[in-house]
Amino acid sequence: MKRNRALAAAVALGALLAACAAAPPDAQALLDRRARALLDGDRAAFTATGAPALWKPQHALPLAAWRYRVTGRQGEDGATVKAELRYRLERDARAATARRVLTLARDADGSWRVTADRPAPGEPEQLWDQGAALRTAVTARTLVVASGPADPGAWTGPGDAAARAVRAAWDTGVRPVIVVPDSTDAMARLLGAPTGTYRDTAAVTTPGEAPRVVVNPEAWQALGEEARQVVLTHETAHVALRARTTPRTPMWLSEGCADWTAYRTSRQDPARTAPALARAVRDGDVPRRLPADGDFAFGGDAGTVGRAYEGAWLACRLVADRWGDEAVRDLYEAAGTDGEEAALRRVLDVDRDGFTALWRDALRRDLGG
């Protein structure tokens, strides 16, 4: 009997100890405290939640919102936490979303602390993940966040000019967020892509509800001042039009309107602005169709991609020249809602084949010389 009672007591004690050891931390409360400390600028409170090295890069960002939502746990003790981070920079239109994995551990006093905060598998890095010193520059229109040796102030003037050009073309305000990592490789990691994908791309706009312009500093250096402004205005147009762009918007209209915005007040000869397509037209190789979505693929054949962008710009230029700037805006809006064919018929009173024929005639006229 005594042996049974002793055995039962030992089992109960073991279960109690096991339960205490396996008791998961209140991760949501911990991450709430951490987020509040970051937004309040309270370094001591932030450090008390762990991972103090993240204070400097995260605090360097002009944050308007930062909140984790625990979505799952891993490990027997629940100390590896999956979370969705929703954060917004001061100029972001909406909050950005990043899936994260955080590792928690107990201190000597028994308190739980964050020991690591990293991207979830398959997720791109964020700027604070790259271990670089972040610096910002801001104007009434533009926010620049840069790492490495880049001077963020160098981008505010072009950013402001891009915002003004977009407002003039689309009658809509935009305040671009320009992100300047310290290398092509760092840019690719922010976009979750192999480095080679963006090797020759000067800038791109990120997907999602909080679009930002990410610059490739190495490709940027190879451009002249005029080309840099065109690139930045093109990407800023994508930022401004994100809410109007849907899966029904064809790429020729999306990319063509961005270029139309950038070149709208230019007096350049179209053949100079579209050299690849001009060479093809002079050789008698006039495209038989508008550029397909696949023609714009990053990392694709350079000639195909170049002719696709040039042809898309000239298609949107045709709309503006023949039907007016308002028709460009109306066509974009209608295509995102009703699709390409219905938009062409409703806004321009022409079907896709008829518009393609007009576009081909314009290519011969503007580029054939």
Side-chain angles (χ1 to χ4, degrees), residues 139 141-142 144 151-166 176 178 215 220 224-234 236:
T139 68
R141 290 186 174 90
T142 305
V144 183
D151 173 14
W155 275 268
T156 56
D160 288 353
R164 289 193 295 269
V166 170
I178 302 171
V215 173
W220 186 266
E225 184 176 350
E226 184 179 12
R228 291 176 179 180
Q229 188 62 64
V230 165
V231 168
L232 203 50
T233 303
H234 174 109
T236 300

PDB file of all heavy atoms in Angstrom, residues 139 141-142 144 151-166 176 178 215 220 224-234 236:
ATOM      1  N   THR A 139      10.309  64.434 -47.344  1.00  0.00           N
ATOM      2  CA  THR A 139       9.755  65.717 -47.758  1.00  0.00           C
ATOM      3  C   THR A 139       8.246  65.606 -47.621  1.00  0.00           C
ATOM      4  O   THR A 139       7.715  64.583 -47.183  1.00  0.00           O
ATOM      5  CB  THR A 139      10.121  66.053 -49.215  1.00  0.00           C
ATOM      6  OG1 THR A 139       9.438  65.135 -50.089  1.00  0.00           O
ATOM      7  CG2 THR A 139      11.620  65.969 -49.453  1.00  0.00           C
ATOM      8  N   ARG A 141       6.272  65.109 -49.899  1.00  0.00           N
ATOM      9  CA  ARG A 141       5.761  64.125 -50.854  1.00  0.00           C
ATOM     10  C   ARG A 141       6.439  62.763 -50.768  1.00  0.00           C
ATOM     11  O   ARG A 141       5.838  61.755 -51.142  1.00  0.00           O
ATOM     12  CB  ARG A 141       5.924  64.650 -52.288  1.00  0.00           C
ATOM     13  CG  ARG A 141       5.023  65.801 -52.665  1.00  0.00           C
ATOM     14  CD  ARG A 141       5.181  66.111 -54.150  1.00  0.00           C
ATOM     15  NE  ARG A 141       4.228  67.134 -54.601  1.00  0.00           N
ATOM     16  CZ  ARG A 141       4.463  68.434 -54.594  1.00  0.00           C
ATOM     17  NH1 ARG A 141       5.642  68.886 -54.153  1.00  0.00           N
ATOM     18  NH2 ARG A 141       3.558  69.295 -55.024  1.00  0.00           N
ATOM     19  N   THR A 142       7.676  62.691 -50.333  1.00  0.00           N
ATOM     20  CA  THR A 142       8.498  61.485 -50.507  1.00  0.00           C
ATOM     21  C   THR A 142       9.151  61.053 -49.215  1.00  0.00           C
ATOM     22  O   THR A 142       9.649  61.880 -48.446  1.00  0.00           O
ATOM     23  CB  THR A 142       9.592  61.757 -51.567  1.00  0.00           C
ATOM     24  OG1 THR A 142       8.983  62.215 -52.774  1.00  0.00           O
ATOM     25  CG2 THR A 142      10.390  60.496 -51.860  1.00  0.00           C
ATOM     26  N   VAL A 144      12.254  58.356 -48.143  1.00  0.00           N
ATOM     27  CA  VAL A 144      13.323  57.489 -48.619  1.00  0.00           C
ATOM     28  C   VAL A 144      13.933  56.775 -47.420  1.00  0.00           C
ATOM     29  O   VAL A 144      14.262  57.411 -46.412  1.00  0.00           O
ATOM     30  CB  VAL A 144      14.418  58.277 -49.369  1.00  0.00           C
ATOM     31  CG1 VAL A 144      15.482  57.327 -49.914  1.00  0.00           C
ATOM     32  CG2 VAL A 144      13.806  59.097 -50.501  1.00  0.00           C
ATOM     33  N   ASP A 151      23.080  58.021 -49.853  1.00  0.00           N
ATOM     34  CA  ASP A 151      22.539  59.216 -49.207  1.00  0.00           C
ATOM     35  C   ASP A 151      21.051  59.277 -49.525  1.00  0.00           C
ATOM     36  O   ASP A 151      20.675  59.512 -50.682  1.00  0.00           O
ATOM     37  CB  ASP A 151      23.242  60.464 -49.730  1.00  0.00           C
ATOM     38  CG  ASP A 151      22.604  61.755 -49.216  1.00  0.00           C
ATOM     39  OD1 ASP A 151      21.800  61.691 -48.270  1.00  0.00           O
ATOM     40  OD2 ASP A 151      22.925  62.823 -49.783  1.00  0.00           O
ATOM     41  N   PRO A 152      20.167  59.076 -48.566  1.00  0.00           N
ATOM     42  CA  PRO A 152      18.733  59.065 -48.882  1.00  0.00           C
ATOM     43  C   PRO A 152      18.239  60.384 -49.447  1.00  0.00           C
ATOM     44  O   PRO A 152      17.272  60.417 -50.219  1.00  0.00           O
ATOM     45  CB  PRO A 152      18.079  58.743 -47.527  1.00  0.00           C
ATOM     46  CG  PRO A 152      19.097  59.114 -46.503  1.00  0.00           C
ATOM     47  CD  PRO A 152      20.420  58.855 -47.137  1.00  0.00           C
ATOM     48  N   GLY A 153      18.915  61.483 -49.107  1.00  0.00           N
ATOM     49  CA  GLY A 153      18.495  62.776 -49.621  1.00  0.00           C
ATOM     50  C   GLY A 153      18.620  62.896 -51.128  1.00  0.00           C
ATOM     51  O   GLY A 153      17.968  63.743 -51.745  1.00  0.00           O
ATOM     52  N   ALA A 154      19.454  62.040 -51.753  1.00  0.00           N
ATOM     53  CA  ALA A 154      19.642  62.115 -53.195  1.00  0.00           C
ATOM     54  C   ALA A 154      18.388  61.693 -53.963  1.00  0.00           C
ATOM     55  O   ALA A 154      18.269  61.988 -55.153  1.00  0.00           O
ATOM     56  CB  ALA A 154      20.827  61.238 -53.619  1.00  0.00           C
ATOM     57  N   TRP A 155      17.482  60.997 -53.299  1.00  0.00           N
ATOM     58  CA  TRP A 155      16.293  60.495 -53.980  1.00  0.00           C
ATOM     59  C   TRP A 155      15.055  61.348 -53.731  1.00  0.00           C
ATOM     60  O   TRP A 155      14.033  61.133 -54.367  1.00  0.00           O
ATOM     61  CB  TRP A 155      16.008  59.043 -53.558  1.00  0.00           C
ATOM     62  CG  TRP A 155      16.771  58.037 -54.348  1.00  0.00           C
ATOM     63  CD1 TRP A 155      16.364  57.406 -55.492  1.00  0.00           C
ATOM     64  CD2 TRP A 155      18.076  57.532 -54.083  1.00  0.00           C
ATOM     65  NE1 TRP A 155      17.335  56.550 -55.942  1.00  0.00           N
ATOM     66  CE2 TRP A 155      18.404  56.610 -55.090  1.00  0.00           C
ATOM     67  CE3 TRP A 155      19.018  57.772 -53.072  1.00  0.00           C
ATOM     68  CZ2 TRP A 155      19.597  55.927 -55.125  1.00  0.00           C
ATOM     69  CZ3 TRP A 155      20.218  57.096 -53.109  1.00  0.00           C
ATOM     70  CH2 TRP A 155      20.512  56.177 -54.116  1.00  0.00           C
ATOM     71  N   THR A 156      15.110  62.287 -52.801  1.00  0.00           N
ATOM     72  CA  THR A 156      13.890  63.025 -52.485  1.00  0.00           C
ATOM     73  C   THR A 156      13.464  63.961 -53.615  1.00  0.00           C
ATOM     74  O   THR A 156      12.270  64.077 -53.915  1.00  0.00           O
ATOM     75  CB  THR A 156      14.052  63.829 -51.182  1.00  0.00           C
ATOM     76  OG1 THR A 156      15.187  64.694 -51.289  1.00  0.00           O
ATOM     77  CG2 THR A 156      14.212  62.902 -49.984  1.00  0.00           C
ATOM     78  N   GLY A 157      14.418  64.621 -54.260  1.00  0.00           N
ATOM     79  CA  GLY A 157      14.074  65.508 -55.369  1.00  0.00           C
ATOM     80  C   GLY A 157      13.409  64.756 -56.514  1.00  0.00           C
ATOM     81  O   GLY A 157      12.310  65.135 -56.961  1.00  0.00           O
ATOM     82  N   PRO A 158      14.050  63.695 -57.026  1.00  0.00           N
ATOM     83  CA  PRO A 158      13.390  62.901 -58.071  1.00  0.00           C
ATOM     84  C   PRO A 158      12.064  62.303 -57.604  1.00  0.00           C
ATOM     85  O   PRO A 158      11.119  62.196 -58.392  1.00  0.00           O
ATOM     86  CB  PRO A 158      14.424  61.808 -58.375  1.00  0.00           C
ATOM     87  CG  PRO A 158      15.735  62.412 -58.000  1.00  0.00           C
ATOM     88  CD  PRO A 158      15.444  63.273 -56.807  1.00  0.00           C
ATOM     89  N   GLY A 159      11.980  61.904 -56.330  1.00  0.00           N
ATOM     90  CA  GLY A 159      10.722  61.370 -55.822  1.00  0.00           C
ATOM     91  C   GLY A 159       9.613  62.408 -55.850  1.00  0.00           C
ATOM     92  O   GLY A 159       8.474  62.121 -56.234  1.00  0.00           O
ATOM     93  N   ASP A 160       9.941  63.631 -55.453  1.00  0.00           N
ATOM     94  CA  ASP A 160       8.956  64.715 -55.498  1.00  0.00           C
ATOM     95  C   ASP A 160       8.517  64.994 -56.937  1.00  0.00           C
ATOM     96  O   ASP A 160       7.325  65.223 -57.212  1.00  0.00           O
ATOM     97  CB  ASP A 160       9.543  65.985 -54.890  1.00  0.00           C
ATOM     98  CG  ASP A 160       9.678  65.907 -53.383  1.00  0.00           C
ATOM     99  OD1 ASP A 160       9.201  64.914 -52.786  1.00  0.00           O
ATOM    100  OD2 ASP A 160      10.276  66.837 -52.796  1.00  0.00           O
ATOM    101  N   ALA A 161       9.478  65.010 -57.865  1.00  0.00           N
ATOM    102  CA  ALA A 161       9.145  65.252 -59.273  1.00  0.00           C
ATOM    103  C   ALA A 161       8.244  64.150 -59.810  1.00  0.00           C
ATOM    104  O   ALA A 161       7.310  64.411 -60.590  1.00  0.00           O
ATOM    105  CB  ALA A 161      10.430  65.352 -60.104  1.00  0.00           C
ATOM    106  N   ALA A 162       8.513  62.909 -59.413  1.00  0.00           N
ATOM    107  CA  ALA A 162       7.676  61.785 -59.841  1.00  0.00           C
ATOM    108  C   ALA A 162       6.253  61.934 -59.308  1.00  0.00           C
ATOM    109  O   ALA A 162       5.273  61.706 -60.033  1.00  0.00           O
ATOM    110  CB  ALA A 162       8.291  60.473 -59.367  1.00  0.00           C
ATOM    111  N   ALA A 163       6.127  62.331 -58.052  1.00  0.00           N
ATOM    112  CA  ALA A 163       4.799  62.519 -57.460  1.00  0.00           C
ATOM    113  C   ALA A 163       4.022  63.613 -58.192  1.00  0.00           C
ATOM    114  O   ALA A 163       2.813  63.486 -58.423  1.00  0.00           O
ATOM    115  CB  ALA A 163       4.934  62.842 -55.975  1.00  0.00           C
ATOM    116  N   ARG A 164       4.714  64.692 -58.559  1.00  0.00           N
ATOM    117  CA  ARG A 164       4.035  65.771 -59.291  1.00  0.00           C
ATOM    118  C   ARG A 164       3.583  65.300 -60.675  1.00  0.00           C
ATOM    119  O   ARG A 164       2.485  65.649 -61.135  1.00  0.00           O
ATOM    120  CB  ARG A 164       4.969  66.978 -59.416  1.00  0.00           C
ATOM    121  CG  ARG A 164       5.206  67.733 -58.113  1.00  0.00           C
ATOM    122  CD  ARG A 164       5.880  69.079 -58.366  1.00  0.00           C
ATOM    123  NE  ARG A 164       7.221  68.915 -58.910  1.00  0.00           N
ATOM    124  CZ  ARG A 164       8.335  68.834 -58.178  1.00  0.00           C
ATOM    125  NH1 ARG A 164       8.262  68.899 -56.859  1.00  0.00           N
ATOM    126  NH2 ARG A 164       9.517  68.710 -58.755  1.00  0.00           N
ATOM    127  N   ALA A 165       4.422  64.513 -61.345  1.00  0.00           N
ATOM    128  CA  ALA A 165       4.063  64.018 -62.680  1.00  0.00           C
ATOM    129  C   ALA A 165       2.857  63.089 -62.616  1.00  0.00           C
ATOM    130  O   ALA A 165       1.978  63.128 -63.488  1.00  0.00           O
ATOM    131  CB  ALA A 165       5.260  63.284 -63.301  1.00  0.00           C
ATOM    132  N   VAL A 166       2.795  62.264 -61.594  1.00  0.00           N
ATOM    133  CA  VAL A 166       1.660  61.355 -61.442  1.00  0.00           C
ATOM    134  C   VAL A 166       0.381  62.136 -61.162  1.00  0.00           C
ATOM    135  O   VAL A 166      -0.684  61.847 -61.718  1.00  0.00           O
ATOM    136  CB  VAL A 166       1.935  60.331 -60.323  1.00  0.00           C
ATOM    137  CG1 VAL A 166       0.677  59.543 -59.974  1.00  0.00           C
ATOM    138  CG2 VAL A 166       3.046  59.378 -60.740  1.00  0.00           C
ATOM    139  N   PRO A 176       5.324  58.582 -52.583  1.00  0.00           N
ATOM    140  CA  PRO A 176       6.072  57.331 -52.717  1.00  0.00           C
ATOM    141  C   PRO A 176       7.016  57.072 -51.548  1.00  0.00           C
ATOM    142  O   PRO A 176       7.610  57.995 -50.985  1.00  0.00           O
ATOM    143  CB  PRO A 176       6.860  57.531 -54.018  1.00  0.00           C
ATOM    144  CG  PRO A 176       6.986  59.017 -54.156  1.00  0.00           C
ATOM    145  CD  PRO A 176       5.706  59.578 -53.596  1.00  0.00           C
ATOM    146  N   ILE A 178      10.422  55.190 -51.084  1.00  0.00           N
ATOM    147  CA  ILE A 178      11.532  54.685 -51.905  1.00  0.00           C
ATOM    148  C   ILE A 178      12.516  53.973 -50.993  1.00  0.00           C
ATOM    149  O   ILE A 178      13.023  54.563 -50.033  1.00  0.00           O
ATOM    150  CB  ILE A 178      12.218  55.840 -52.659  1.00  0.00           C
ATOM    151  CG1 ILE A 178      11.200  56.583 -53.539  1.00  0.00           C
ATOM    152  CG2 ILE A 178      13.376  55.322 -53.502  1.00  0.00           C
ATOM    153  CD1 ILE A 178      11.733  57.869 -54.139  1.00  0.00           C
ATOM    154  N   VAL A 215      14.876  50.333 -55.188  1.00  0.00           N
ATOM    155  CA  VAL A 215      15.901  50.713 -56.167  1.00  0.00           C
ATOM    156  C   VAL A 215      17.029  49.691 -56.164  1.00  0.00           C
ATOM    157  O   VAL A 215      17.429  49.186 -55.110  1.00  0.00           O
ATOM    158  CB  VAL A 215      16.448  52.117 -55.828  1.00  0.00           C
ATOM    159  CG1 VAL A 215      17.632  52.472 -56.714  1.00  0.00           C
ATOM    160  CG2 VAL A 215      15.350  53.160 -55.947  1.00  0.00           C
ATOM    161  N   TRP A 220      21.134  51.506 -61.054  1.00  0.00           N
ATOM    162  CA  TRP A 220      20.812  52.933 -61.022  1.00  0.00           C
ATOM    163  C   TRP A 220      22.014  53.782 -61.422  1.00  0.00           C
ATOM    164  O   TRP A 220      21.873  54.779 -62.142  1.00  0.00           O
ATOM    165  CB  TRP A 220      20.347  53.299 -59.612  1.00  0.00           C
ATOM    166  CG  TRP A 220      19.836  54.685 -59.441  1.00  0.00           C
ATOM    167  CD1 TRP A 220      20.546  55.786 -59.037  1.00  0.00           C
ATOM    168  CD2 TRP A 220      18.498  55.149 -59.655  1.00  0.00           C
ATOM    169  NE1 TRP A 220      19.730  56.895 -58.979  1.00  0.00           N
ATOM    170  CE2 TRP A 220      18.472  56.533 -59.351  1.00  0.00           C
ATOM    171  CE3 TRP A 220      17.317  54.531 -60.062  1.00  0.00           C
ATOM    172  CZ2 TRP A 220      17.317  57.298 -59.448  1.00  0.00           C
ATOM    173  CZ3 TRP A 220      16.163  55.292 -60.155  1.00  0.00           C
ATOM    174  CH2 TRP A 220      16.169  56.650 -59.854  1.00  0.00           C
ATOM    175  N   GLY A 224      21.626  57.759 -66.792  1.00  0.00           N
ATOM    176  CA  GLY A 224      21.760  59.208 -66.759  1.00  0.00           C
ATOM    177  C   GLY A 224      20.623  59.821 -65.964  1.00  0.00           C
ATOM    178  O   GLY A 224      19.652  59.148 -65.586  1.00  0.00           O
ATOM    179  N   GLU A 225      20.705  61.115 -65.731  1.00  0.00           N
ATOM    180  CA  GLU A 225      19.717  61.800 -64.897  1.00  0.00           C
ATOM    181  C   GLU A 225      18.312  61.691 -65.470  1.00  0.00           C
ATOM    182  O   GLU A 225      17.338  61.444 -64.743  1.00  0.00           O
ATOM    183  CB  GLU A 225      20.114  63.270 -64.741  1.00  0.00           C
ATOM    184  CG  GLU A 225      19.195  64.054 -63.818  1.00  0.00           C
ATOM    185  CD  GLU A 225      19.663  65.485 -63.614  1.00  0.00           C
ATOM    186  OE1 GLU A 225      20.798  65.798 -64.032  1.00  0.00           O
ATOM    187  OE2 GLU A 225      18.891  66.282 -63.051  1.00  0.00           O
ATOM    188  N   GLU A 226      18.174  61.867 -66.781  1.00  0.00           N
ATOM    189  CA  GLU A 226      16.856  61.801 -67.407  1.00  0.00           C
ATOM    190  C   GLU A 226      16.259  60.403 -67.282  1.00  0.00           C
ATOM    191  O   GLU A 226      15.062  60.243 -66.954  1.00  0.00           O
ATOM    192  CB  GLU A 226      16.952  62.203 -68.879  1.00  0.00           C
ATOM    193  CG  GLU A 226      15.614  62.253 -69.589  1.00  0.00           C
ATOM    194  CD  GLU A 226      15.742  62.685 -71.044  1.00  0.00           C
ATOM    195  OE1 GLU A 226      16.886  62.733 -71.559  1.00  0.00           O
ATOM    196  OE2 GLU A 226      14.706  62.987 -71.668  1.00  0.00           O
ATOM    197  N   ALA A 227      17.068  59.385 -67.524  1.00  0.00           N
ATOM    198  CA  ALA A 227      16.584  58.004 -67.433  1.00  0.00           C
ATOM    199  C   ALA A 227      16.187  57.655 -66.003  1.00  0.00           C
ATOM    200  O   ALA A 227      15.205  56.934 -65.771  1.00  0.00           O
ATOM    201  CB  ALA A 227      17.648  57.037 -67.936  1.00  0.00           C
ATOM    202  N   ARG A 228      16.931  58.152 -65.029  1.00  0.00           N
ATOM    203  CA  ARG A 228      16.580  57.902 -63.631  1.00  0.00           C
ATOM    204  C   ARG A 228      15.204  58.467 -63.303  1.00  0.00           C
ATOM    205  O   ARG A 228      14.405  57.831 -62.620  1.00  0.00           O
ATOM    206  CB  ARG A 228      17.643  58.514 -62.704  1.00  0.00           C
ATOM    207  CG  ARG A 228      18.985  57.816 -62.756  1.00  0.00           C
ATOM    208  CD  ARG A 228      19.992  58.546 -61.881  1.00  0.00           C
ATOM    209  NE  ARG A 228      21.277  57.874 -61.896  1.00  0.00           N
ATOM    210  CZ  ARG A 228      22.343  58.294 -61.226  1.00  0.00           C
ATOM    211  NH1 ARG A 228      22.269  59.402 -60.493  1.00  0.00           N
ATOM    212  NH2 ARG A 228      23.486  57.614 -61.278  1.00  0.00           N
ATOM    213  N   GLN A 229      14.944  59.679 -63.797  1.00  0.00           N
ATOM    214  CA  GLN A 229      13.639  60.286 -63.519  1.00  0.00           C
ATOM    215  C   GLN A 229      12.510  59.501 -64.178  1.00  0.00           C
ATOM    216  O   GLN A 229      11.430  59.328 -63.595  1.00  0.00           O
ATOM    217  CB  GLN A 229      13.617  61.730 -63.993  1.00  0.00           C
ATOM    218  CG  GLN A 229      12.375  62.495 -63.564  1.00  0.00           C
ATOM    219  CD  GLN A 229      12.265  62.589 -62.045  1.00  0.00           C
ATOM    220  OE1 GLN A 229      13.107  63.194 -61.386  1.00  0.00           O
ATOM    221  NE2 GLN A 229      11.239  61.970 -61.475  1.00  0.00           N
ATOM    222  N   VAL A 230      12.754  59.012 -65.376  1.00  0.00           N
ATOM    223  CA  VAL A 230      11.749  58.197 -66.063  1.00  0.00           C
ATOM    224  C   VAL A 230      11.448  56.947 -65.252  1.00  0.00           C
ATOM    225  O   VAL A 230      10.276  56.584 -65.040  1.00  0.00           O
ATOM    226  CB  VAL A 230      12.234  57.834 -67.483  1.00  0.00           C
ATOM    227  CG1 VAL A 230      11.379  56.706 -68.070  1.00  0.00           C
ATOM    228  CG2 VAL A 230      12.190  59.047 -68.396  1.00  0.00           C
ATOM    229  N   VAL A 231      12.492  56.275 -64.791  1.00  0.00           N
ATOM    230  CA  VAL A 231      12.300  55.052 -64.005  1.00  0.00           C
ATOM    231  C   VAL A 231      11.512  55.331 -62.739  1.00  0.00           C
ATOM    232  O   VAL A 231      10.559  54.616 -62.403  1.00  0.00           O
ATOM    233  CB  VAL A 231      13.670  54.420 -63.660  1.00  0.00           C
ATOM    234  CG1 VAL A 231      13.518  53.335 -62.599  1.00  0.00           C
ATOM    235  CG2 VAL A 231      14.318  53.845 -64.913  1.00  0.00           C
ATOM    236  N   LEU A 232      11.884  56.375 -62.021  1.00  0.00           N
ATOM    237  CA  LEU A 232      11.230  56.661 -60.752  1.00  0.00           C
ATOM    238  C   LEU A 232       9.778  57.094 -60.955  1.00  0.00           C
ATOM    239  O   LEU A 232       8.888  56.718 -60.180  1.00  0.00           O
ATOM    240  CB  LEU A 232      12.006  57.742 -60.004  1.00  0.00           C
ATOM    241  CG  LEU A 232      11.826  57.786 -58.484  1.00  0.00           C
ATOM    242  CD1 LEU A 232      12.019  56.419 -57.853  1.00  0.00           C
ATOM    243  CD2 LEU A 232      12.794  58.784 -57.878  1.00  0.00           C
ATOM    244  N   THR A 233       9.515  57.860 -62.013  1.00  0.00           N
ATOM    245  CA  THR A 233       8.134  58.263 -62.294  1.00  0.00           C
ATOM    246  C   THR A 233       7.303  57.053 -62.704  1.00  0.00           C
ATOM    247  O   THR A 233       6.134  56.916 -62.301  1.00  0.00           O
ATOM    248  CB  THR A 233       8.098  59.339 -63.383  1.00  0.00           C
ATOM    249  OG1 THR A 233       8.900  60.455 -62.968  1.00  0.00           O
ATOM    250  CG2 THR A 233       6.678  59.806 -63.647  1.00  0.00           C
ATOM    251  N   HIS A 234       7.876  56.175 -63.517  1.00  0.00           N
ATOM    252  CA  HIS A 234       7.195  54.939 -63.920  1.00  0.00           C
ATOM    253  C   HIS A 234       6.776  54.136 -62.689  1.00  0.00           C
ATOM    254  O   HIS A 234       5.611  53.723 -62.559  1.00  0.00           O
ATOM    255  CB  HIS A 234       8.146  54.118 -64.798  1.00  0.00           C
ATOM    256  CG  HIS A 234       7.639  52.765 -65.178  1.00  0.00           C
ATOM    257  ND1 HIS A 234       7.244  52.452 -66.454  1.00  0.00           N
ATOM    258  CD2 HIS A 234       7.484  51.622 -64.451  1.00  0.00           C
ATOM    259  CE1 HIS A 234       6.849  51.193 -66.495  1.00  0.00           C
ATOM    260  NE2 HIS A 234       6.996  50.664 -65.291  1.00  0.00           N
ATOM    261  N   THR A 236       6.534  55.150 -59.552  1.00  0.00           N
ATOM    262  CA  THR A 236       5.604  55.900 -58.717  1.00  0.00           C
ATOM    263  C   THR A 236       4.192  55.837 -59.282  1.00  0.00           C
ATOM    264  O   THR A 236       3.206  55.813 -58.528  1.00  0.00           O
ATOM    265  CB  THR A 236       6.071  57.363 -58.586  1.00  0.00           C
ATOM    266  OG1 THR A 236       7.374  57.386 -57.995  1.00  0.00           O
ATOM    267  CG2 THR A 236       5.132  58.182 -57.723  1.00  0.00           C
TER     268      THR A 236
END
